[in-house]
Structures are given as structure tokens and as C-alpha cells.
Amino acid sequence: MYGKARQPGRAVAQLIAGVSLLDALVLAVAGAYNLVPVALIAFALTLFLQRYIKGT
């Protein structure tokens, strides 16, 4: 009916990880360039860990 099967769990995991990207953007705009890599690592780590610890 809708084409591909819906995957709400995957969408939630990506939204949770996306918060870290938003944090990186806010840090960069605020001039805290030394903390941007920390937020980017948090993004990657969140996506990785969501494979083992479900966000939903």
C-alpha cells in the first residue's frame, strides 16, 4: 500500500542521533569549535550503539 515497509524504530534512532548533529551546529555557531568533534563523535556513537540498545 505505501511501498516500502515502515520502520519507526529506525526513524526514532536517526532522530535521536540527529540531536548530536544539531548540538554540533549550535556549538559551531557559538564559536566552541573545540567541542564540535565531540558532538560529531556522539552522533556516530549513538548510531552505532542503537544497533544493540534500542531507542524505542
Side-chain angles (χ1 to χ4, degrees):
M1 177 187 240
Y2 295 106
K4 292 185 178 183
R6 294 183 178 193
Q7 299 177 344
R10 183 173 181 195
V12 169
Q14 289 176 346
L15 287 170
I16 292 171
V19 171
S20 296
L21 287 180
L22 179 62
D23 290 343
L25 177 65
V26 170
L27 288 167
V29 170
Y33 301 113
N34 57 333
L35 294 176
V36 171
V38 175
L40 294 176
I41 290 169
F43 169 73
L45 190 60
T46 301
L47 284 180
F48 175 74
L49 291 176
Q50 285 287 337
R51 295 179 184 186
Y52 305 104
I53 305 168
K54 300 296 180 192
T56 55

